[in-house]
Structure formats: C-alpha cells, structure tokens
Amino acid sequence: MAEPVALAALALEAAIGWPAWLYARIGHPVSGFARLIATCEHRWNRPEASAQRRRLFGIVTVLLLLLVVIAAGLTIEAVAAHSSFGWLVLVVAAFPGLAQHSLYVHVRPVAAALVRGDLAAARTAVGYIVGRDTARLDTPGVARAAIESLAESFCDGIVAPLFWLLVAGLPGLWAYKAINTADSLIGHREPRWRAFGWAAARTDDLFNLVPARLSGMLLCIAGGRGWRTLWRDARKHASPNAGWPEAAMAGALGLRLAGPIAYDGVVAEKPWIGDGRTETTAHDIRRALALYVRACGLLWIVAGGVAWLR
C-alpha cells in the first residue's frame, strides 16, 4: 500500500468519521461482516453438536470470512490500478476501516455527562463502548471504563488497521477488521461460544500481536512517561494484547485501571493495572482523550515518514 494513501485515509476519517447519514443509507462494512458471522453461527454452532465439531465449523467460518474479505480487497486494488483516480479509490475504500473520529466522539459524551453530574447519562454513554455491566458503576468506575475502552480501542480501531494497511494493503486492513469483528461477536469464553469462537479469538490475538505493543509504545511516547508500568503490568491482563495499551494509558496518566469488573451480573476479580489513583474523574477522561489525540498524531507522522523514506 502506498503510504500517502494511508496518510490520506487517516486524514479523511479524522475529518468526517463515518457520517450518520451515510450509515443510515448503506450501513458500514463491519455490519456486513457481522451478518455473515451471525449466519454461520446460527447454522453451525448447534448446542447438540460436539465441541470438536463446533470448533471445526468455527475455523471454517474464519476462513470463509477471510476469503470473502481478501478477495474483495484484491478486486478493489485491481480496479484502482487501472484507474486514473486509483489513489482516491484506495483512500475511500480504506478510511472506513479506521476509527479515530468515531472513537473520540463516543468517549467524549461520557466526560460531558460526568461534568454535568448526570451519572445515569454517563452510564448509558459508556455502555455503548464497553461490554461490562454499567448499571451500578459509580463515577470512578464509569471514568475508568471509558479510559480503558479508549486505550484498547486505540489499538483495535486505529493502530492495528493502519498497521495491516501498510503491511498488506486493503486486503490486510479489511482482513483485520473482519477478524476483530468476529472476535468481538463470538470470541468469548462462555459455553455457547467457547468452541465455535476459538479460531476467531486466536486469530485476533495473532493479528494484534505487533499492533498492541506498538500502541503501548505510542501512548508512552505521547504521554512522556508510563514505560515502567507498561513493562511491569501489560501481562496482567487476561488478553495477551489488550494489556499493552491499557498499561501504557494507566502509566502515562498516573492511574490504576482494570480491577474487579462485573459481566452479566458476575464479578470477575481482575488485577489492577498501574499504581496511581483509582478515583478517576471526568477530568481524567479528558486527559486520556488529549493523550489519544497526540498518539494519533504520532501515527500520522509514522505514515508520512515511511512514505518519505520510500
């Protein structure tokens, strides 16, 4: 992938995101992935089937998803190669796979609601971006959830898609987005998905191996600190990758993140990440957003720098 195209895609998405009117008219490519995954899950993830059979069909689902997405990406690149406006075709095809703008505008309302003292609205807003129970979260719990989601989504929504765009072009970017969508939908440990979603979860772990560590380093560079927390606490997270940006965010902001979390009414006793304050506030969310913006700026520099070197 020509790096100026990656830089232009970053700039376009930062400027307009994925507009609501466009989503209302045509949806989003990720919605198509979700429909395919849901169809496969409905047909092949039968509770009466053995775990081995469900795992096999989970692998088939991942392969089918990758086949469709990679073929589509290669087709678009072939069309662009024979077009006088090929670079524009690539930019338009790539920018929906990035999420700088949309992540920012989803996290900001959480801070705004807390500033107003409207805890109910803050719980609702943070519920759109996290999977945990939010109904009983207090103000620090809401703020921590928003900051943790921002850190993890910095990798999943921006660094990893851009990494795979630079490494493998459109097929790489959209293959990553497809697998990441599959992981979020079926890559869970609950009995229903444990076997069927195994391939999606493991493939997502593999795809995020490098981007997660890059995300952590970018956040530490943007924050000017956090390295000690990054190296010490990144592996405390249950995920082999999510702990890297989360530990970097905790260290850069001087906070403690993670800790006990409730899912579907069941409390998971997760370890704390970081050794700073636990009484997080709306101000900390705003600090996290400012750090996030600086880290995104570093990505622009990286994309432009690689283009200049070539």
Side-chain angles (χ1 to χ4, degrees), residues 37 58 125 134 148 224 241 286:
I37 295 162
T134 62
E148 290 162 18
N241 297 314
R286 290 177 169 175

Side-chain angles (χ1 to χ4, degrees), residues 51-211:
Q52 183 178 8
R53 182 177 178 83
R54 282 183 284 149
R55 178 174 289 195
L56 175 62
F57 277 118
I59 295 171
V60 172
T61 297
V62 166
L63 292 176
L64 177 62
L65 191 61
L66 288 174
L67 177 64
V68 170
V69 171
I70 291 173
L74 289 172
T75 300
I76 294 172
E77 287 189 343
V79 171
H82 294 87
S83 170
S84 55
F85 297 99
W87 69 272
L88 184 58
V89 172
L90 294 175
V91 169
V92 171
F95 94 92
L98 303 166
Q100 302 162 102
H101 180 97
S102 59
L103 179 56
Y104 188 93
V105 300
H106 276 86
V107 173
R108 184 174 55 184
V110 183
L114 290 179
V115 167
R116 296 194 307 269
D118 191 344
L119 182 57
R123 287 168 173 164
T124 299
V126 82
Y128 293 129
I129 58 174
V130 300
R132 71 192 68 175
D133 296 339
T134 62
R136 297 183 180 180
L137 288 179
D138 57 8
T139 293
V142 168
R144 280 199 305 273
I147 293 168
E148 290 162 18
S149 181
L150 179 65
E152 292 183 28
S153 297
F154 175 60
C155 176
D156 293 351
I158 303 106
V159 177
L162 180 66
F163 174 83
W164 287 108
L165 176 64
L166 292 171
V167 169
L170 283 180
L173 182 152
W174 287 110
Y176 171 78
K177 294 298 290 186
I179 291 300
N180 190 243
T181 302
D183 179 58
S184 68
L185 293 176
I186 61 175
H188 307 299
R189 296 183 179 182
E190 288 83 358
R192 173 179 172 181
W193 294 288
R194 185 185 298 271
F196 186 76
W198 174 84
R202 297 291 76 77
T203 307
D204 184 73
D205 287 344
L206 179 62
F207 275 30
N208 272 311
L209 194 64
V210 174

Side-chain angles (χ1 to χ4, degrees), residues 234-280:
R235 295 176 181 82
K236 289 183 179 179
H237 201 287
S239 163
N241 297 314
W244 290 86
E246 195 166 313
M249 183 72 81
L253 298 178
L255 300 173
R256 274 207 299 173
L257 301 176
I261 300 173
Y263 292 98
D264 299 323
V266 178
V267 176
E269 295 295 336
K270 297 187 176 183
W272 290 99
I273 291 176
D275 52 12
R277 291 182 293 108
T278 59
E279 294 300 309
T280 47

